[in-house]
Amino acid sequence: FWLKPFQPGSKDLDRLAVSNQFVAMSAVLDGFAAFSERRALQIQQAGRLTAQDFGPPFKYVPLADTPADAVERAIAARCGPESANETTEWRVMKITFSGEKVVENFKEGLLLRVFTPTIGWRYFGDFDLKKVELEWLGLTVARLGLEVWAERALSDKYSLRLRGSCSGCGTGQEHVPTYKRQNHEYCARCWNTFFIQKTTMRCIEPDGSMEVDASETAQDNAL
């Protein structure tokens, strides 16, 4: 099914409008979240999926519309530098809400459709994996290459200059796309090398005002 985006306005009115559509449709809903093999195993062993598993703002579980969207969000959230240079394997959790559950969750304010900054769902609660209808899917993503990786992992966090001068490479790396952090700018290769070398990857906002934990155990919330 397809829902048309609503014009910006009162959040309560937007939520009510979307909720009313679902009450009328009683549609089955599938939501997806992607993890590395190791992180997926940890979640399975814990038996729960919570907002804490996705990092700040620690208020909801973000769910994507498709497995591919879920993987793309995970790469962007964790910077995922390995995906630029090699094929990566992902475990995607598929959670299915029955029509009755969709209506019930909307009425209780637990489920919200969002269109910005990305399209998807927010579930304001925890999932007991023994009490939800779920399926684990495997997804293999071919090597992205540096340009595609940078667009997905860096563009939302750093300022892009199409004809910049890399502060890391120096000579020979002028007039290339760079991503700026504070007073320095770096090309995609330098950023990728930096994140690979970090044992605990952290993505820093361009103005230095906030650090977002991008380790295996906490993903920046991309939805």
Side-chain angles (χ1 to χ4, degrees):
F1 59 89
W2 175 255
L3 291 179
K4 295 182 179 179
F6 289 89
Q7 295 298 320
S10 166
K11 292 183 179 180
D12 290 337
L13 290 178
D14 287 349
R15 178 181 292 194
L16 178 60
V18 178
S19 178
N20 286 340
Q21 279 191 266
F22 270 94
V23 170
M25 297 170 65
S26 297
V28 173
L29 167 66
D30 292 329
F32 302 87
F35 308 92
S36 67
E37 294 274 0
R38 184 175 67 180
R39 186 63 188 135
L41 179 59
Q42 292 173 340
I43 291 173
Q44 286 178 297
Q45 292 174 340
R48 298 187 70 81
L49 182 66
T50 74
Q52 300 296 317
D53 293 314
F54 295 87
F58 304 107
K59 294 181 179 180
Y60 48 79
V61 173
L63 297 172
D65 288 343
T66 68
D69 286 346
V71 170
E72 185 170 336
R73 302 305 175 218
I75 291 174
R78 291 180 19 246
C79 298
E82 68 282 351
S83 62
N85 308 306
E86 60 189 53
T87 298
T88 51
E89 301 290 338
W90 298 87
R91 297 283 287 169
V92 181
M93 179 187 291
K94 173 185 176 183
I95 297 178
T96 299
F97 298 84
S98 67
E100 292 181 357
K101 276 295 183 182
V102 170
V103 174
E104 178 183 327
N105 287 330
F106 264 107
K107 287 182 177 179
E108 294 179 0
L110 296 177
L111 190 62
L112 178 65
R113 180 68 166 170
V114 293
F115 300 98
T116 58
T118 56
I119 297 176
W121 302 92
R122 292 175 180 175
Y123 182 79
F124 293 83
D126 298 341
F127 289 105
D128 183 337
L129 301 189
K130 294 181 180 179
K131 297 181 180 180
V132 297
E133 182 180 345
L134 69 84
E135 178 182 359
W136 284 99
L137 310 174
L139 192 63
T140 300
V141 178
R143 182 180 70 87
L144 298 179
L146 286 170
E147 290 185 4
V148 174
W149 169 80
E151 180 182 351
R152 295 183 181 181
L154 304 177
S155 59
D156 289 340
K157 302 177 178 70
Y158 305 96
S159 300
L160 170 64
R161 289 190 62 191
L162 293 177
R163 292 177 60 83
S165 178
C166 181
S167 301
C169 293
T171 304
Q173 284 297 312
E174 295 184 354
H175 306 303
V176 296
T178 58
Y179 292 84
K180 186 176 181 180
R181 172 196 166 191
Q182 298 178 346
N183 296 323
H184 300 282
E185 54 189 88
Y186 303 93
C187 67
R189 184 176 299 279
C190 284
W191 275 115
N192 187 260
T193 300
F194 168 75
F195 284 119
I196 287 176
Q197 291 176 344
K198 300 291 286 184
T199 54
T200 299
M201 296 178 293
R202 300 185 71 83
C203 299
I204 305 173
E205 295 296 324
D207 62 2
S209 62
M210 179 178 68
E211 288 189 346
V212 179
D213 192 343
S215 67
E216 288 283 358
T217 57
Q219 300 180 40
D220 177 21
N221 199 321
L223 292 177

